[in-house]
Amino acid sequence: MNAGLIDEFSIALSPVLFGSGIRLFEGVDAGRVALEPVHAEPSPRVTHLTYTVRER
């Protein structure tokens, strides 16, 4: 993402009540990259999120 090669993210987020999880954006330079929310569609078991990647 820091290289500017990604235009959009589509993420299916399903909450888990146990475990440690995964950091999706570890190492991203927040000073250079911003995520703009485009769409969120909730359902009983998963939330579908779409973000556009923008330069700061």
Side-chain angles (χ1 to χ4, degrees):
M1 200 157 73
N2 290 330
L5 301 175
I6 299 172
D7 296 328
E8 187 173 274
F9 275 102
S10 294
I11 300 169
L13 180 65
S14 182
V16 178
L17 298 177
F18 55 89
S20 60
I22 298 170
R23 292 179 175 259
L24 294 177
F25 303 109
E26 186 77 34
V28 174
D29 185 359
R32 294 180 49 208
V33 177
L35 296 178
E36 179 180 311
V38 174
H39 183 73
E41 184 177 335
S43 70
R45 294 188 180 186
V46 66
T47 300
H48 298 278
L49 305 168
T50 304
Y51 292 94
T52 299
V53 179
R54 302 277 186 227
E55 287 187 34
R56 287 192 184 230

